[in-house]
């Protein structure tokens, strides 16, 4: 049984993750050297294995399969046996005795069995799509926590580098102040820049601690040390192919597929409600064996009956109204989510393009700022540049490096968000 449902799940996942790769041409956005790493995937898998949905799924599938088996049975519920014995031994004791053996067989109403089978099949299919949606929900949390940690770690590293540069500059200014080359005002400016860098470093380290705590919540303390976050460029997810015409994409999106399954369940539930106009009738078979007094031979008889309960308009109306409301709600939600999902994909495609252009511009600015810092660092050491200019160039380089690092993170986030919008799990 486990092999059966695991194979179905695997086929379901392949269906969701495969369709977006065969529709249309790819968007040529990602650099060729940016390949998807295994860190984010490992992070996701470790997090998913801790989720209640993962641990309980086996039993949910077993319950769904059992429901299918029940719906396919010949009887609406198990038959029952009734046995009774009548005697006069406690009063007149004239030998009167009667034994009654009865069999009650519940019967399906018209179209009830076929409707129950269709509903059980629809609920099983919905279970598979809901399972994948649960995976995507955890994937969204993992992606957000992962890149937030990466961002905080990079900002912490940049703050540490800024602090080290500020220390080096402050020591150089102090030496030159003691030698009489710089004024006390220059020394104060250098020490002020050092104090500012220390404040940024403390704040950045606090952000790392907060981000790490969120990661620990998803992974658990025992898995946290096993995850190596590594270099960002090696852990950007593969950029998926997206069709040029998004109108044909909605049926392959997991959220849309899940809502289609939900709508199908609501329709089948309504069909079942229409067929259940009364309680189940029962075929009744009795056999009686008894005598009236001692010495009289036992007589046996057989009786067949049909028990048909009366219907109730109020109960039937309530059941139909509830099932109809569920179907209407599913239809409206499907229409809304289909438009929202396609819009989400379109906006994320645009964000990937924008993030890549920003990344290129930020890298260019960072390279130029670092080269400029080297020029002015040399000129400052030779006394050709004053301290305020040197500090301004340092701050510009620090800001340029930070913007480049953040742009790289934002590009990675935009790719992950696009994959999330398409319903793809981390790779």
């Amino acid at each position: 049984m486990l092999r059966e449902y695991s194979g179905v799940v695997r086929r379901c996942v392949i269906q969701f993750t495969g369709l977006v790769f065969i529709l249309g041409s790819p968007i040529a956005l990602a650099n060729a050297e940016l390949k998807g790493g295994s860190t984010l995937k490992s992070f996701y898998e470790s997090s998913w294995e801790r989720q209640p949905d993962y641990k309980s799924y086996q039993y949910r599938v077993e319950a769904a399969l059992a429901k299918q088996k029940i719906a396919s049975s010949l009887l609406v519920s198990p038959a029952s046996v009734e046995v009774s014995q009548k005697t006069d031994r406690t009063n007149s004791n004239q030998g009167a005795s009667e034994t009654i053996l009865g069999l009650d067989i519940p019967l399906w109403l018209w179209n009830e069995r076929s409707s129950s089978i269709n509903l059980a099949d629809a609920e099983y299919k919905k279970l598979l799509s809901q399972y994948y949606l649960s995976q995507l929900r955890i994937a969204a949390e993992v992606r957000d926590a992962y890149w937030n940690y990466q961002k905080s770690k990079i900002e912490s590293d940049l703050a540490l580098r800024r602090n080290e540069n500020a220390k080096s500059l402050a020591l150089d200014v102090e030496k030159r102040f003691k030698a009489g080359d710089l004024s006390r005002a220059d020394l104060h400016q250098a020490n002020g820049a050092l104090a500012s860098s220390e404040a940024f470093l403390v704040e950045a380290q606090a952000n790392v601690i907060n981000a790490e705590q969120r990661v620990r919540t998803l992974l658990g303390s025992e898995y946290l040390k096993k995850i190596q976050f590594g270099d960002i460029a090696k852990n950007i997810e593969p950029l998926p192919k997206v069709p040029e015409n998004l109108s044909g994409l909605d049926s392959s999106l997991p959220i849309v597929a899940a809502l289609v399954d939900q709508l199908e369940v609501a329709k089948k539930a309504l069909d079942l409600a229409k067929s259940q106009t009364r309680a189940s009738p029962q075929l009744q078979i009795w056999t009686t064996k008894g005598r009236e007094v001692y010495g009289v031979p036992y007589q046996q008889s057989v009786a067949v009956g049909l028990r048909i309960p009366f219907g109730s308009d109020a109960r039937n109306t309530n059941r139909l109204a509830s099932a109809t409301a569920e179907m209407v709600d599913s239809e409206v939600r499907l229409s809304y989510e289909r438009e929202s999902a396609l819009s989400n994909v379109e906006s994320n495609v645009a964000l990937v393009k924008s993030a890549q252009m920003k990344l290129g511009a930020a890298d260019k600015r960072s390279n130029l700022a670092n080269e400029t810092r080297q020029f002015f660092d040399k000129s400052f050491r030779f006394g050709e540049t004053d301290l305020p200019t040197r500090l301004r160039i340092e701050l510009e380089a620090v800001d340029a490096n930070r913007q480049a690092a953040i742009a790289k993170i934002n590009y990675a986030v935009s790719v992950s968000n696009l994959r999330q919008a398409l319903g793809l799990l981390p790779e």
Side-chain angles (χ1 to χ4, degrees):
M1 180 179 298
L2 295 181
R3 292 180 179 177
E4 177 182 351
Y5 86 77
S6 62
V8 175
V9 173
R10 189 177 300 110
R11 291 194 297 272
C12 177
V13 171
I14 291 175
Q15 176 186 3
F16 284 141
T17 58
L19 284 177
V20 294
F21 287 93
I22 62 177
L23 299 173
S25 59
I27 304 174
L29 296 177
N31 296 327
E33 68 272 17
L34 297 181
K35 302 295 184 180
S38 61
T39 302
L40 184 57
K41 182 179 179 180
S42 300
F43 186 0
Y44 160 74
E45 290 175 348
S46 299
S47 300
W48 174 243
E49 290 175 359
R50 301 180 67 243
Q51 301 303 313
D53 290 341
Y54 170 80
K55 296 181 181 297
S56 64
Y57 183 68
Q58 168 188 347
Y59 306 102
R60 295 182 186 276
V61 169
E62 291 177 358
L65 293 175
K67 190 170 183 179
Q68 285 182 322
K69 187 176 180 180
I70 292 173
S72 302
S73 62
L74 297 177
L75 303 179
V76 64
S77 61
S80 60
V81 175
E82 179 182 353
V83 179
S84 63
Q85 175 70 36
K86 183 172 69 174
T87 181
D88 63 350
R89 290 182 181 180
T90 59
N91 43 36
S92 62
N93 196 21
Q94 295 181 1
S97 176
E98 185 179 34
T99 302
I100 301 176
L101 178 64
L103 179 64
D104 292 338
I105 304 175
L107 303 176
W108 293 100
L109 294 169
W110 185 257
N111 287 331
E112 184 183 12
R113 182 170 181 267
S114 60
S115 298
S116 297
I117 293 175
N118 293 334
L119 177 59
D121 292 341
E123 288 180 339
Y124 182 80
K125 186 178 179 183
K126 173 190 171 184
L127 179 63
L128 299 180
S129 59
Q130 289 294 331
Y131 180 79
Y132 194 77
L133 276 189
S134 298
Q135 290 181 301
L136 282 176
R137 176 177 57 82
I138 300 302
E141 295 183 18
V142 166
R143 281 169 167 141
D144 187 56
Y146 176 82
W147 292 119
N148 184 57
Y149 179 85
Q150 288 280 37
K151 180 179 179 181
S152 64
K153 191 68 172 62
I154 285 179
E155 291 187 334
S156 177
D157 294 340
L158 291 173
L160 179 60
R161 191 181 310 168
R162 173 183 175 181
N163 180 253
E164 292 174 350
N165 291 337
K167 282 183 180 179
S168 176
L169 181 59
L171 289 176
D172 184 43
V173 171
E174 185 177 3
K175 291 179 181 179
R176 297 177 63 177
F177 165 72
K178 292 179 180 180
D181 294 336
L182 294 177
S183 65
R184 184 174 295 275
D186 292 331
L187 179 60
H188 288 345
Q189 289 187 56
N191 289 332
L194 176 59
S196 177
S197 68
E198 291 173 347
F200 275 103
L201 178 59
V202 171
E203 181 180 0
Q205 290 174 342
N207 291 336
V208 171
I209 294 175
N210 291 333
E212 186 176 291
Q213 183 60 41
R214 187 178 177 192
V215 172
R216 182 181 287 105
T217 301
L218 290 170
L219 282 178
S221 300
E222 65 275 14
Y223 289 105
L224 181 60
K225 296 181 179 179
K226 298 179 181 180
I227 297 295
Q228 300 295 328
F229 287 88
D231 182 36
I232 296 175
K234 295 180 180 179
N235 291 305
I236 296 179
E237 294 187 79
L239 187 66
K241 299 178 181 179
V242 181
E244 297 179 358
N245 184 9
L246 298 180
S247 60
L249 183 64
D250 61 341
S251 60
S252 67
L253 298 177
I255 179 62
V256 177
L259 289 174
V260 169
D261 293 341
Q262 174 62 44
L263 177 59
E264 190 66 17
V265 169
K267 289 180 178 179
K268 301 306 180 184
L270 179 59
D271 292 339
L272 180 60
K274 290 179 179 179
S275 65
Q276 293 177 330
T277 56
R278 65 184 76 239
S280 300
Q282 290 184 348
L283 176 63
Q284 299 176 325
I285 303 175
W286 301 281
T287 177
T288 304
K289 183 178 181 181
R291 66 183 181 186
E292 295 183 358
V293 293
Y294 286 116
V296 177
Y298 282 96
Q299 301 294 323
Q300 187 170 1
S301 63
V302 176
V304 177
L306 183 63
R307 178 176 177 271
I308 302 178
F310 289 108
S312 173
D313 292 338
R315 293 182 179 179
N316 191 45
T317 301
N318 174 57
R319 188 184 300 112
L320 284 175
S322 298
T324 303
E326 188 67 27
M327 186 187 70
V328 172
D329 180 78
S330 299
E331 288 178 341
V332 174
R333 184 171 300 181
L334 173 60
S335 177
Y336 173 80
E337 290 294 342
R338 175 181 280 117
E339 294 182 6
S340 177
L342 292 177
S343 177
N344 190 28
V345 172
E346 185 176 5
S347 63
N348 277 285
V349 168
L351 288 176
V352 170
K353 294 180 179 179
S354 174
Q356 192 194 30
M357 290 188 290
K358 290 180 180 179
L359 176 58
D363 282 340
K364 183 177 181 180
R365 181 196 173 199
S366 177
N367 293 332
L368 293 174
N370 287 329
E371 291 180 3
T372 302
R373 178 170 58 181
Q374 293 177 2
F375 298 151
F376 277 88
D377 182 60
K378 292 181 180 179
S379 65
F380 176 72
R381 293 180 184 278
F382 290 122
E384 298 174 357
T385 301
D386 59 8
L387 182 60
T389 302
R390 175 67 181 89
L391 291 175
R392 178 177 58 81
I393 296 300
E394 178 67 25
L395 289 177
E396 289 179 358
V398 168
D399 182 68
N401 290 334
R402 181 180 180 278
Q403 291 299 325
I406 296 302
K408 184 175 293 185
I409 286 288
N410 289 339
Y411 172 73
V413 170
S414 67
V415 173
S416 290
N417 289 341
L418 177 58
R419 293 181 61 86
Q420 183 72 29
L422 290 171
L424 302 177
L425 295 177
E427 290 187 16

